[in-house]
Amino acid sequence: MSTGCPPPAGAQPSPANAPATRARLKPMGVVRAVMCALALAMVPAAFAQKQGAAAPGPVKNSELDAPLFYQLLLAEMELRSGVAGNAFDTMLDAARRTRDEALFRRTVEIALQARAGEQALQAVSAWRAALPDSAEALRYQVQLLMALNRPADAMEPMGLLLSKATPEERPGLISTLPRLLQRSPDRTQAANLAEQLLKPYTDAPETRTAARVALGRLWLAAGDTARVVALLERAHADDPDAPGPALLAIEMLPASASADAVIADYLRQPKSEPAVRLAYVRTLAMQQRYGEAVTQLEQLTRERPDVAPPWLTLGALHLELHHPKEAEEALKRYVELAQSGKPGAPTPTTGDEEDDDVTASPERGLVQAWLLLAQAAEMRGDYAGAEAWLDRVDSPQRALEVQTRRATLFARQGKLREARELVRKVPERSPEDARAKLLAEAQVLRDVKRWRDAYDLLGKANERFLNDADLLYEQAMTAEKLNRMTDMERLLRKVIEIKPDHHHAYNALGYSLADRNLRLPEAKALIEKALEMSPGEPFITDSLGWVQYRMGNRLEALRLLRKAYAARPDIEIAAHLGEVLWVDGQREEARRVLSEARRRDAKNEVLVETLARLKVDL
């Protein structure tokens, strides 16, 4: 039975709505009436705006005449009935006859809704033929061609779009090119196509920086570091105050020394954007270069003391470095600013980052700050203070984290049974929640050095969650604490088998062998493999320095350990560096490094063992 609606009174049928003309002679019925009412609500907004609101008195004439109204109505009803092909043909016919951009746009939307990419391109081609000056049609065509992995075909409309843009618009349009081409399966081809497209703009003063930065990003994706460095240095030399080259340099880290030089030079500029420094901090933190990240954040908080988010990040990093006093100062400043209604911060402008939840939501930032303040108080041994901060957190999403911190406080006070019960009572809504609870309980046990209990718990978890690389890795690390080297190696080999890019597993196995002076060539190969996967990571660099020391390469060991310690002044890295310095005869520097580490954590096992074995008098 047809579901067509009757045309408005006085409508003259056109060929496009002929089937509906036959249907109008049939009784309408309640269902059809409802469907027609729904379809009427879907008439494109452009026509509704042109016609205006109904009012008493004569109605003004509009472009939406009766035949067109009926044709659009029919197209929308066909779409709602699941006949997308007919809807597309009808709407495209209307768009061609009226030369209306809103109807061309709707035609493309119908094709995309039906996942018909070629039909969407057909509609855009008709759009361009009807309206040759339409920038919107060009944008749609570029986006469709890129989505269909046809970058070469997209260059013609992109070139026209650039040529039609105003001088003010053009740099921004050029900067979108890397994102458009990022899906291209052949990244070298994409970079070459972009070079041809941007050739007219790479020397023009108003576009050269944007063009070189865009090309740099594309060649970076293609893996041609030498070409990226050349573009980066030229762009920065031409415009030292521009943030674009500095942001490109940040994306290059840690692959190029030139990138570090460009970033440092830009950040020395009086007009450098705080957003660039924040982007740099984010990258440094991801690479665990916490010492350098703290230096940048301290500079930023001096320049912008009333901007809240950097204080939160600074507090978190101080905690990582075992600086509880400095962490508390930074976190309390964040809380003060967030609660006073001044949480705003500049946002990095590479265009690729997702919005940071803490920046976007001061409430989430406060929850994070309270959790970190509880951790800082715990680090100082102030358990009552830690509990007071935890009492402020009222977030169901963070319930497990809050209870885990409480459980750790209980365990440190000898209440291990109560601690484990706290974690177990957290509600479970999914298997992932159950897995997270097992990991949390194991962490509580490890915090109080109950290695055997943690090992057994993780063993049961691995029976429940088969082939879970993270659970296997955690059990392997617990086996190492129990000196069960055979079990540790078996578990880590399993992790590598399940997840060949698990660089932590390669590093852990290599370091454990090196620390016991076993199979040193194999240990070195494992650590180098990990460093290939995660270049510049301080703990892996430390492992490589340690194996070099074990192999008798003291100068190379010192170079690597100094590099690791500068990036992340961790206690165990300090112990390794201090030992190699001591053995090398550099006793004054060794004492300085080891003394600094002891001030931060005098109970660290690796540090205590190192000081006792070397008989270092601090």
Short mmCIF file of all heavy atoms in Angstrom, two decimals, residues 277-278 280-286 290 293-294 296-298 300-301 307-321 326-327 330-331 334 345 356 358-359 365 368-369 372:
data_model
loop_
_atom_site.label_atom_id
_atom_site.label_comp_id
_atom_site.label_asym_id
_atom_site.label_seq_id
_atom_site.Cartn_x
_atom_site.Cartn_y
_atom_site.Cartn_z
N ARG A 277 54.00 26.32 25.31
CA ARG A 277 54.74 25.77 26.44
C ARG A 277 53.96 24.61 27.07
O ARG A 277 54.54 23.60 27.48
CB ARG A 277 55.01 26.85 27.50
CG ARG A 277 56.15 26.50 28.45
CD ARG A 277 56.40 27.60 29.46
NE ARG A 277 56.84 28.83 28.88
CZ ARG A 277 58.10 29.14 28.58
NH1 ARG A 277 59.06 28.27 28.81
NH2 ARG A 277 58.40 30.31 28.06
N LEU A 278 52.63 24.73 27.13
CA LEU A 278 51.82 23.64 27.66
C LEU A 278 51.89 22.40 26.76
O LEU A 278 51.94 21.27 27.26
CB LEU A 278 50.36 24.10 27.79
CG LEU A 278 50.00 24.87 29.05
CD1 LEU A 278 48.52 25.25 29.01
CD2 LEU A 278 50.28 24.06 30.30
N TYR A 280 54.39 21.61 24.94
CA TYR A 280 55.75 21.07 25.17
C TYR A 280 55.77 20.26 26.47
O TYR A 280 56.32 19.15 26.53
CB TYR A 280 56.73 22.23 25.23
CG TYR A 280 58.19 21.85 25.32
CD1 TYR A 280 58.70 20.74 24.65
CD2 TYR A 280 59.07 22.63 26.07
CE1 TYR A 280 60.05 20.42 24.73
CE2 TYR A 280 60.41 22.32 26.15
CZ TYR A 280 60.90 21.20 25.48
OH TYR A 280 62.24 20.89 25.56
N VAL A 281 55.14 20.80 27.50
CA VAL A 281 55.08 20.08 28.78
C VAL A 281 54.37 18.75 28.61
O VAL A 281 54.81 17.72 29.14
CB VAL A 281 54.35 20.95 29.84
CG1 VAL A 281 53.97 20.12 31.06
CG2 VAL A 281 55.23 22.12 30.25
N ARG A 282 53.27 18.76 27.86
CA ARG A 282 52.53 17.51 27.65
C ARG A 282 53.41 16.46 26.99
O ARG A 282 53.42 15.29 27.39
CB ARG A 282 51.30 17.79 26.77
CG ARG A 282 50.51 16.55 26.43
CD ARG A 282 49.33 16.85 25.52
NE ARG A 282 48.36 17.69 26.17
CZ ARG A 282 47.18 18.03 25.63
NH1 ARG A 282 46.88 17.61 24.43
NH2 ARG A 282 46.33 18.78 26.29
N THR A 283 54.17 16.86 25.99
CA THR A 283 55.05 15.92 25.28
C THR A 283 56.18 15.45 26.20
O THR A 283 56.51 14.25 26.22
CB THR A 283 55.62 16.58 24.02
OG1 THR A 283 54.54 16.95 23.16
CG2 THR A 283 56.55 15.64 23.27
N LEU A 284 56.77 16.36 26.95
CA LEU A 284 57.84 15.96 27.89
C LEU A 284 57.31 14.96 28.91
O LEU A 284 57.98 13.97 29.24
CB LEU A 284 58.39 17.19 28.60
CG LEU A 284 59.20 18.17 27.76
CD1 LEU A 284 59.50 19.44 28.55
CD2 LEU A 284 60.51 17.53 27.28
N ALA A 285 56.10 15.20 29.42
CA ALA A 285 55.52 14.30 30.42
C ALA A 285 55.25 12.93 29.80
O ALA A 285 55.49 11.90 30.45
CB ALA A 285 54.24 14.90 30.99
N MET A 286 54.76 12.90 28.57
CA MET A 286 54.50 11.63 27.90
C MET A 286 55.79 10.83 27.72
O MET A 286 55.78 9.60 27.75
CB MET A 286 53.84 11.87 26.55
CG MET A 286 52.38 12.29 26.64
SD MET A 286 51.69 12.69 25.03
CE MET A 286 51.85 11.13 24.18
N TYR A 290 60.33 14.24 33.19
CA TYR A 290 59.63 15.02 34.19
C TYR A 290 60.42 16.22 34.70
O TYR A 290 59.84 17.26 35.00
CB TYR A 290 59.24 14.12 35.37
CG TYR A 290 58.23 13.06 35.02
CD1 TYR A 290 58.15 11.88 35.76
CD2 TYR A 290 57.35 13.22 33.96
CE1 TYR A 290 57.22 10.90 35.45
CE2 TYR A 290 56.42 12.24 33.64
CZ TYR A 290 56.36 11.08 34.39
OH TYR A 290 55.44 10.11 34.08
N ALA A 293 59.98 18.92 32.23
CA ALA A 293 58.59 19.39 32.25
C ALA A 293 58.35 20.31 33.44
O ALA A 293 57.67 21.35 33.31
CB ALA A 293 57.65 18.20 32.30
N VAL A 294 58.90 19.96 34.59
CA VAL A 294 58.75 20.80 35.78
C VAL A 294 59.38 22.18 35.55
O VAL A 294 58.80 23.22 35.90
CB VAL A 294 59.37 20.11 37.01
CG1 VAL A 294 59.58 21.10 38.15
CG2 VAL A 294 58.47 18.97 37.46
N GLN A 296 59.71 23.81 32.76
CA GLN A 296 58.83 24.59 31.88
C GLN A 296 57.58 25.06 32.63
O GLN A 296 57.13 26.20 32.44
CB GLN A 296 58.43 23.74 30.67
CG GLN A 296 59.58 23.40 29.73
CD GLN A 296 60.23 24.64 29.14
OE1 GLN A 296 59.57 25.65 28.86
NE2 GLN A 296 61.54 24.57 28.94
N LEU A 297 57.02 24.21 33.46
CA LEU A 297 55.81 24.60 34.19
C LEU A 297 56.11 25.68 35.22
O LEU A 297 55.28 26.57 35.45
CB LEU A 297 55.21 23.37 34.88
CG LEU A 297 54.38 22.46 33.96
CD1 LEU A 297 54.08 21.15 34.66
CD2 LEU A 297 53.08 23.14 33.54
N GLU A 298 57.26 25.60 35.84
CA GLU A 298 57.62 26.65 36.80
C GLU A 298 57.75 28.00 36.10
O GLU A 298 57.34 29.04 36.64
CB GLU A 298 58.90 26.27 37.53
CG GLU A 298 58.70 25.14 38.54
CD GLU A 298 59.98 24.66 39.18
OE1 GLU A 298 61.05 24.91 38.60
OE2 GLU A 298 59.91 24.01 40.25
N LEU A 300 56.11 28.81 33.36
CA LEU A 300 54.76 29.20 32.97
C LEU A 300 53.97 29.75 34.16
O LEU A 300 53.26 30.76 34.03
CB LEU A 300 54.03 28.00 32.36
CG LEU A 300 52.60 28.23 31.87
CD1 LEU A 300 52.56 29.36 30.85
CD2 LEU A 300 52.03 26.96 31.27
N THR A 301 54.10 29.11 35.31
CA THR A 301 53.36 29.58 36.47
C THR A 301 53.90 30.91 36.98
O THR A 301 53.17 31.67 37.62
CB THR A 301 53.36 28.53 37.60
OG1 THR A 301 54.70 28.12 37.87
CG2 THR A 301 52.53 27.32 37.21
N VAL A 307 46.53 31.36 36.10
CA VAL A 307 45.96 30.32 35.24
C VAL A 307 46.07 28.99 35.99
O VAL A 307 47.15 28.58 36.40
CB VAL A 307 46.69 30.26 33.88
CG1 VAL A 307 46.16 29.10 33.04
CG2 VAL A 307 46.50 31.58 33.14
N ALA A 308 44.94 28.31 36.14
CA ALA A 308 44.89 27.17 37.06
C ALA A 308 45.53 25.87 36.56
O ALA A 308 46.33 25.27 37.29
CB ALA A 308 43.43 26.90 37.45
N PRO A 309 45.20 25.34 35.37
CA PRO A 309 45.64 23.98 35.00
C PRO A 309 47.14 23.72 35.10
O PRO A 309 47.52 22.61 35.51
CB PRO A 309 45.12 23.82 33.56
CG PRO A 309 43.89 24.65 33.55
CD PRO A 309 44.23 25.86 34.36
N PRO A 310 48.02 24.66 34.75
CA PRO A 310 49.45 24.35 34.91
C PRO A 310 49.84 24.00 36.34
O PRO A 310 50.74 23.19 36.57
CB PRO A 310 50.15 25.63 34.44
CG PRO A 310 49.18 26.26 33.48
CD PRO A 310 47.83 25.96 34.06
N TRP A 311 49.17 24.60 37.31
CA TRP A 311 49.47 24.28 38.71
C TRP A 311 49.11 22.82 39.03
O TRP A 311 49.83 22.14 39.78
CB TRP A 311 48.70 25.21 39.66
CG TRP A 311 49.17 26.62 39.65
CD1 TRP A 311 48.57 27.69 39.05
CD2 TRP A 311 50.35 27.14 40.28
NE1 TRP A 311 49.30 28.84 39.26
CE2 TRP A 311 50.40 28.53 40.01
CE3 TRP A 311 51.36 26.56 41.04
CZ2 TRP A 311 51.42 29.34 40.48
CZ3 TRP A 311 52.39 27.37 41.51
CH2 TRP A 311 52.41 28.75 41.23
N LEU A 312 48.03 22.33 38.46
CA LEU A 312 47.63 20.94 38.67
C LEU A 312 48.67 19.98 38.09
O LEU A 312 49.09 19.02 38.74
CB LEU A 312 46.26 20.70 38.04
CG LEU A 312 45.69 19.29 38.18
CD1 LEU A 312 45.49 18.91 39.63
CD2 LEU A 312 44.37 19.19 37.41
N THR A 313 49.09 20.27 36.86
CA THR A 313 50.10 19.42 36.23
C THR A 313 51.42 19.48 36.99
O THR A 313 52.09 18.46 37.18
CB THR A 313 50.31 19.85 34.77
OG1 THR A 313 49.05 19.90 34.10
CG2 THR A 313 51.23 18.88 34.04
N LEU A 314 51.79 20.67 37.44
CA LEU A 314 53.03 20.83 38.20
C LEU A 314 52.98 20.00 39.48
O LEU A 314 53.95 19.32 39.84
CB LEU A 314 53.25 22.31 38.52
CG LEU A 314 54.52 22.66 39.29
CD1 LEU A 314 55.77 22.22 38.53
CD2 LEU A 314 54.57 24.17 39.58
N GLY A 315 51.85 20.02 40.16
CA GLY A 315 51.73 19.23 41.39
C GLY A 315 51.85 17.74 41.11
O GLY A 315 52.52 17.01 41.85
N ALA A 316 51.22 17.28 40.03
CA ALA A 316 51.29 15.86 39.70
C ALA A 316 52.72 15.44 39.38
O ALA A 316 53.17 14.35 39.79
CB ALA A 316 50.37 15.57 38.51
N LEU A 317 53.46 16.28 38.68
CA LEU A 317 54.84 15.94 38.33
C LEU A 317 55.75 15.96 39.55
O LEU A 317 56.65 15.12 39.68
CB LEU A 317 55.36 16.91 37.26
CG LEU A 317 54.72 16.75 35.88
CD1 LEU A 317 55.25 17.82 34.93
CD2 LEU A 317 54.98 15.37 35.30
N HIS A 318 55.53 16.90 40.45
CA HIS A 318 56.33 16.91 41.69
C HIS A 318 56.10 15.62 42.48
O HIS A 318 57.04 15.09 43.09
CB HIS A 318 55.97 18.12 42.54
CG HIS A 318 56.77 19.35 42.20
ND1 HIS A 318 58.15 19.34 42.14
CD2 HIS A 318 56.39 20.64 41.90
CE1 HIS A 318 58.59 20.56 41.82
NE2 HIS A 318 57.54 21.35 41.67
N LEU A 319 54.90 15.11 42.47
CA LEU A 319 54.64 13.84 43.15
C LEU A 319 55.42 12.71 42.50
O LEU A 319 55.98 11.85 43.19
CB LEU A 319 53.15 13.52 43.12
CG LEU A 319 52.28 14.07 44.24
CD1 LEU A 319 50.85 13.61 44.07
CD2 LEU A 319 52.81 13.64 45.61
N GLU A 320 55.45 12.68 41.17
CA GLU A 320 56.21 11.66 40.46
C GLU A 320 57.69 11.71 40.85
O GLU A 320 58.38 10.69 40.86
CB GLU A 320 56.07 11.84 38.95
CG GLU A 320 54.74 11.39 38.38
CD GLU A 320 54.61 9.87 38.33
OE1 GLU A 320 55.64 9.18 38.43
OE2 GLU A 320 53.48 9.38 38.22
N LEU A 321 58.17 12.91 41.14
CA LEU A 321 59.57 13.09 41.49
C LEU A 321 59.81 13.01 43.00
O LEU A 321 60.90 13.34 43.47
CB LEU A 321 60.06 14.45 40.96
CG LEU A 321 60.05 14.57 39.43
CD1 LEU A 321 60.34 16.01 39.01
CD2 LEU A 321 61.07 13.62 38.81
N GLU A 326 56.56 20.40 47.58
CA GLU A 326 56.35 21.22 46.39
C GLU A 326 55.03 20.85 45.70
O GLU A 326 54.32 21.72 45.17
CB GLU A 326 57.50 21.06 45.41
CG GLU A 326 58.83 21.63 45.90
CD GLU A 326 59.61 20.62 46.74
OE1 GLU A 326 59.02 19.62 47.19
OE2 GLU A 326 60.82 20.86 46.95
N ALA A 327 54.70 19.55 45.72
CA ALA A 327 53.43 19.11 45.12
C ALA A 327 52.25 19.75 45.83
O ALA A 327 51.31 20.25 45.20
CB ALA A 327 53.33 17.59 45.16
N ALA A 330 51.77 23.47 44.93
CA ALA A 330 51.20 23.67 43.60
C ALA A 330 49.73 23.27 43.55
O ALA A 330 48.89 23.97 42.98
CB ALA A 330 52.00 22.87 42.57
N LEU A 331 49.39 22.16 44.17
CA LEU A 331 48.02 21.65 44.13
C LEU A 331 47.07 22.55 44.92
O LEU A 331 45.93 22.79 44.50
CB LEU A 331 47.98 20.23 44.67
CG LEU A 331 48.68 19.19 43.79
CD1 LEU A 331 48.88 17.89 44.54
CD2 LEU A 331 47.89 18.95 42.50
N TYR A 334 46.27 25.41 42.81
CA TYR A 334 45.26 25.04 41.80
C TYR A 334 43.86 25.06 42.41
O TYR A 334 42.92 25.62 41.83
CB TYR A 334 45.53 23.65 41.22
CG TYR A 334 44.39 23.20 40.35
CD1 TYR A 334 44.30 23.63 39.03
CD2 TYR A 334 43.38 22.38 40.85
CE1 TYR A 334 43.22 23.27 38.23
CE2 TYR A 334 42.30 22.01 40.06
CZ TYR A 334 42.23 22.46 38.75
OH TYR A 334 41.16 22.11 37.96
N ALA A 345 42.61 28.22 30.90
CA ALA A 345 44.00 28.09 30.47
C ALA A 345 44.06 28.07 28.97
O ALA A 345 43.10 27.72 28.30
CB ALA A 345 44.61 26.81 31.02
N ASP A 356 41.21 18.43 26.87
CA ASP A 356 41.61 17.84 28.15
C ASP A 356 40.46 17.99 29.13
O ASP A 356 39.94 19.07 29.36
CB ASP A 356 42.85 18.57 28.67
CG ASP A 356 43.35 17.94 29.95
OD1 ASP A 356 44.13 16.99 29.88
OD2 ASP A 356 42.92 18.42 31.01
N VAL A 358 40.34 17.88 32.32
CA VAL A 358 40.60 18.72 33.48
C VAL A 358 40.48 20.19 33.10
O VAL A 358 39.93 21.01 33.84
CB VAL A 358 41.98 18.39 34.06
CG1 VAL A 358 42.39 19.42 35.08
CG2 VAL A 358 41.96 17.01 34.70
N THR A 359 41.00 20.56 31.92
CA THR A 359 40.91 21.95 31.48
C THR A 359 39.46 22.31 31.20
O THR A 359 39.00 23.40 31.53
CB THR A 359 41.75 22.15 30.20
OG1 THR A 359 43.10 21.79 30.49
CG2 THR A 359 41.71 23.58 29.74
N GLY A 365 38.87 18.64 37.59
CA GLY A 365 40.19 19.07 38.03
C GLY A 365 40.31 19.08 39.54
O GLY A 365 41.33 18.67 40.10
N GLN A 368 40.68 15.57 40.83
CA GLN A 368 42.04 15.10 40.62
C GLN A 368 43.00 15.73 41.62
O GLN A 368 43.89 15.06 42.17
CB GLN A 368 42.48 15.44 39.19
CG GLN A 368 43.84 14.93 38.79
CD GLN A 368 43.90 13.41 38.75
OE1 GLN A 368 42.89 12.77 38.53
NE2 GLN A 368 45.07 12.85 38.99
N ALA A 369 42.82 17.02 41.90
CA ALA A 369 43.71 17.71 42.85
C ALA A 369 43.57 17.12 44.24
O ALA A 369 44.57 16.91 44.95
CB ALA A 369 43.37 19.20 42.87
N LEU A 372 45.38 13.83 44.43
CA LEU A 372 46.83 14.03 44.46
C LEU A 372 47.29 14.58 45.80
O LEU A 372 48.36 14.21 46.31
CB LEU A 372 47.25 14.96 43.32
CG LEU A 372 47.09 14.39 41.90
CD1 LEU A 372 47.31 15.48 40.86
CD2 LEU A 372 48.07 13.24 41.66
#
